[in-house]
Amino acid sequence: MDNKPPVERAVWYHILSSEKWKKEFTKNVKRKCRDYLLNDDQEMVSVIDLLHQKYVEANNPVKKQIDNRLDSILGDTKESIIQNDIVRKVCEVERLSAIPEEKLVTWANVLGALLAHDLKMAQIRRFMGAVLKVEVDVRLEGPEGFCKDQVVYLKVLLAYAAGRNKAVRPLLAVIDPMIDRIEGWKDFQQLVRFVRAVVAYHKFYGGNE
């Protein structure tokens, strides 16, 4: 999957994580490819089909080996996407408002797909609620009086959530450097739009309620 664009890799991660070894595995994979607007990647589907057949025909020790290997590949893929395709690029800019909207939407798409299998919608909505509360408070006082201190505490909320549930950690890994790059109201508005987009894509990919 390394040669595919980040969105495709993230969607494949989600599909394989959620459909792994289920009945009608290949059929479900093809359906989800259509549902999630993936290109008709016959080569990838063929590889997955062969892997599934090998798994079905294997004895229990070999099944465990195949399962562990796939989990390792998926874990490495997820970590690579988060760190190399999002976090590293966030860290290349000084302020969040310097990131083009199109790129933010792409990152939200990627993150929504990666989070959809493990992280419940309620947990993302809880964080979005905290972000929106800051937005409302700032609007009431006047955006011209925006202070970064109003946003920094959001890092603490996410760190606490990640400590209780490791499925939150990819969200923390991305949001933390984004908050570091908030200096003014315009930067914060970028964060609000990004979080809203992550929630939307998490829902699109069938995120757990």
Side-chain angles (χ1 to χ4, degrees):
M1 291 193 290
D2 291 344
N3 61 339
K4 297 183 182 300
V7 171
E8 287 191 28
R9 281 185 286 139
V11 175
W12 275 115
Y13 167 88
H14 170 61
I15 291 174
L16 293 175
S17 296
S18 59
E19 295 298 327
K20 189 174 65 171
W21 316 138
K22 291 182 180 179
K23 291 182 179 179
E24 298 186 326
F25 176 75
T26 305
K27 181 179 179 181
N28 290 341
V29 166
K30 290 180 179 179
R31 176 180 55 79
K32 286 203 169 184
C33 285
R34 293 192 299 271
D35 290 347
Y36 300 148
L37 312 178
L38 274 181
N39 294 326
D40 188 14
D41 193 338
Q42 290 299 324
E43 181 180 356
M44 187 72 174
V45 172
S46 296
V47 170
I48 291 168
D49 191 30
L50 288 173
L51 181 64
H52 185 245
Q53 288 179 25
K54 184 177 179 180
Y55 179 84
V56 170
E57 295 168 359
N59 57 35
N60 286 337
V62 174
K63 281 184 177 180
K64 187 173 182 180
Q65 291 177 3
I66 296 172
D67 196 35
N68 289 341
R69 178 57 180 155
L70 181 56
D71 284 345
S72 177
I73 292 172
L74 291 175
D76 290 346
T77 297
K78 184 177 184 178
E79 182 68 14
S80 174
I81 293 171
I82 292 292
Q83 294 299 326
N84 298 327
D85 294 305
I86 303 180
V87 173
R88 182 172 58 83
K89 293 180 180 179
V90 170
C91 293
E92 290 174 355
V93 302
E94 292 185 5
R95 298 186 62 158
L96 203 57
S97 56
I99 299 173
E101 295 284 345
E102 183 178 357
K103 187 170 290 186
L104 274 182
V105 170
T106 297
W107 292 346
N109 190 346
V110 167
L111 196 55
L114 294 177
L115 295 174
H117 177 60
D118 299 316
L119 192 61
K120 291 183 178 179
M121 177 65 76
Q123 292 170 305
I124 299 183
R125 286 192 179 277
R126 193 174 298 123
F127 177 68
M128 185 174 74
V131 172
L132 295 181
K133 183 180 184 304
V134 173
E135 182 184 34
V136 170
D137 290 345
V138 172
R139 287 188 182 279
L140 288 174
E141 297 173 6
E144 65 279 358
F146 174 82
C147 176
K148 185 173 181 176
D149 291 345
Q150 296 168 290
V151 184
V152 172
Y153 188 69
L154 294 172
K155 297 172 72 169
V156 178
L157 293 178
L158 262 188
Y160 176 73
R164 297 186 63 187
N165 181 0
K166 66 179 182 180
V168 179
R169 291 177 186 177
L171 184 62
L172 173 64
V174 173
I175 295 294
D176 196 86
M178 284 188 169
I179 291 176
D180 289 340
R181 282 151 184 79
I182 293 176
E183 297 297 336
W185 174 247
K186 190 176 179 180
D187 301 313
F188 177 67
Q189 285 297 99
Q190 283 283 72
L191 178 68
V192 173
R193 286 189 283 270
F194 177 74
V195 174
R196 286 182 183 274
V198 171
V199 171
Y201 279 112
H202 183 275
K203 181 70 174 178
F204 174 72
Y205 291 115
N208 293 325
E209 296 290 342

